[in-house]
Amino acid sequence: MVRRHAVVAGAGIGGLTAAVALHRHGWEVTVCERAPALPATGAGIGLAPNALRALDTIGVDAAYAAGRSVPATMGVRSPDGRWLTRSATADMAARYGVAPIAVPRPAFTAALAAALPPECLRYGTTVTGVDDAAGRAVVRTGDGSGLPADLVVAADGIHSPLRRAFFPAHPGLRYVGETAWRTMVDAAGAGTPAMSETWGPGRRFGVTPLSDGRYYLYATAVVPAGTRPSDPVAVLRRLFGTWHDPIPALLDRVVRLDPAELLCNDLYDLAAPLPRLHHGRIAWLGDAAHAMTPNLGQGGCQAIEDAAVLAHLLTDTPAHRIPTALTAYTTARHTRTDSIRRRARRTGRLGVLRDPLAVAARNLAVRVTPDRLALRGMDGLFNGFRLPARELPHDRGAGTA
């Protein structure tokens, strides 16, 4: 078979996972990343059982790449420390075959990049557009050059220029009303807390032990978009400093960080699903395809699923059949990802309730739900990953496979 060439726009987790998967399926791959290098700092990412199984299909061992450290318990708490719901990770492993892990995002992306030949990675290269001709695409870059490609993977993030270019009528992003702060802190001497998210009135605080022994911390609050306080740590202390242990002690560690290590982002999701996840020879994945709020911890996990399914459907697919394979990719991924996007939005609405009566009713409803039923409610997420059949319908005028 003639060697096929894929250009991946974006070296985030979805783009790099797609590049590794395609490379291992025999594709020549070029990854264009506008940043001068992969980030050395950042936040953590949770890899749920569905993402770990997807990584398995392409031969990536996340635990080997970024370490494995699994807390004994995870769940939701109230600001006074009471558990509203709690699951043992051993029960999750028994139900889903593997326990979720959380890894430092920079270490994970570095491990994915290391799985590619160095010549595949082009940092400081911005994709400015794609000429999607019938026979082959040409990817335009910021230096004015063009890269011929049999496949273009649009992994260019939540503000995806390629999404805007090819779906100009789509309403785009919607601010969900929250801003998030994220960072990683040293865990030495701080004990080993459970993986928890604490819900207060209009704000939340998450503590996640990472595979390298640090903690990934995140906090959200209902504020106008673009709110950037001059002293964000003082704001975090005011919002969360009286909450249960170990939150106050962990905030003390945030004070000692370089300010650049405390990330601040307004939270957006897609206002509506894309009509499809492909156009000709272009496939969208991850945030570019189905940006969702982080309330279910599935944004990165769904990008990994996208990458695994895309590479699977393109295994041994000749160049002239690629558009047909991408139609199958949309069929395989569109309904699942949009369902999770909408579920994440609904979950977020529960997490940011501010009216005292509504908060009390929510907490009671969560607390009286048996933990086993709460765990069963994750079946659709954690057991929902499947590799579809590769038999493609005959596309008119494209010839036979």
Side-chain angles (χ1 to χ4, degrees):
M1 179 180 288
V2 176
R3 187 103 165 143
R4 299 154 301 168
H5 182 214
V7 174
V8 180
I13 285 174
L16 287 172
T17 304
V20 171
L22 289 166
H23 175 69
R24 291 181 176 180
H25 281 289
W27 284 71
E28 179 184 344
V29 179
T30 301
V31 180
C32 296
E33 168 55 47
R34 64 181 180 180
L38 289 177
T41 60
I45 179 172
L47 298 175
N50 54 304
L52 294 172
R53 281 198 295 273
L55 289 168
D56 233 18
T57 67
I58 59 176
V60 173
D61 184 344
Y64 174 80
R68 178 182 290 278
S69 177
V70 181
T73 303
M74 58 182 62
V76 178
R77 307 176 78 172
S78 60
D80 61 6
R82 289 179 298 167
W83 288 96
L84 302 179
T85 183
R86 176 167 43 174
S87 297
T89 50
D91 292 340
M92 297 186 72
R95 188 173 186 88
Y96 302 116
V98 62
I101 63 173
V103 300
R105 188 179 291 258
F108 187 45
T109 53
L112 290 170
L116 293 167
E119 63 271 16
C120 292
L121 299 162
R122 296 192 182 186
Y123 298 110
T125 303
T126 300
V127 171
T128 59
V130 177
D131 297 321
D132 188 18
R136 210 177 193 204
V138 176
V139 177
R140 301 192 305 273
T141 60
D143 62 5
S145 61
L147 297 172
D150 299 296
L151 168 72
V152 180
V153 179
D156 52 345
I158 190 168
H159 298 287
S160 173
L162 292 179
R163 183 182 66 227
R164 293 196 302 269
F166 283 89
F167 299 103
H170 187 270
L173 299 172
R174 185 198 74 141
Y175 179 52
V176 300
E178 290 180 273
T179 291
W181 296 267
R182 298 172 295 142
T183 193
M184 296 184 289
V185 299
D186 176 41
T192 307
M195 182 185 296
S196 65
E197 183 170 285
T198 302
W199 290 357
R203 54 193 189 272
R204 292 174 286 173
F205 197 99
V207 180
T208 301
L210 292 173
S211 58
D212 65 354
R214 288 182 290 174
Y215 296 153
Y216 166 43
L217 310 180
Y218 62 90
T220 73
V222 177
V223 296
T227 300
R228 297 294 182 269
S230 58
D231 188 349
V233 177
V235 172
L236 294 175
R237 283 185 180 277
R238 175 175 57 81
L239 292 174
F240 306 103
T242 61
W243 285 18
H244 64 80
D245 292 333
I247 292 173
L250 293 173
L251 287 174
D252 288 340
R253 296 174 185 238
V254 175
V255 174
R256 300 195 290 268
L257 295 176
D258 183 311
E261 296 181 68
L262 179 59
L263 308 178
C264 181
N265 301 97
D266 299 326
L267 298 183
Y268 292 86
D269 67 359
L270 280 192
L274 290 179
R276 59 191 180 280
L277 303 184
H278 73 285
H279 183 288
R281 293 177 175 273
I282 308 170
W284 279 262
L285 59 72
D287 283 345
H290 41 68
M292 60 185 68
T293 60
N295 302 300
L296 298 175
Q298 281 289 311
C301 295
Q302 290 306 304
I304 290 168
E305 284 193 17
D306 289 343
V309 169
L310 180 66
H312 170 76
L313 287 170
L314 289 166
T315 299
D316 299 329
T317 301
H320 74 275
R321 295 294 306 264
I322 288 171
T324 304
L326 297 190
T327 300
Y329 167 71
T330 285
T331 300
R333 298 298 299 155
H334 194 275
T335 298
R336 173 164 168 79
T337 55
D338 190 57
S339 173
I340 294 172
R341 178 187 67 85
R342 289 184 282 109
R343 181 174 172 178
R345 179 184 291 183
R346 291 194 302 269
T347 302
R349 288 172 179 161
L350 286 176
V352 298
L353 292 174
R354 288 183 284 182
D355 177 80
L357 291 177
V359 169
R362 175 201 66 194
N363 289 359
L364 177 62
V366 173
R367 194 163 56 245
V368 301
T369 301
D371 291 338
R372 67 182 184 280
L373 293 182
L375 181 58
R376 188 183 304 168
M378 305 304 286
D379 286 359
L381 295 178
F382 297 163
N383 278 338
F385 169 71
R386 298 286 187 276
L387 288 178
R390 285 204 298 261
E391 291 80 6
L392 302 179
H394 290 292
D395 49 326
R396 295 176 182 174
T400 57

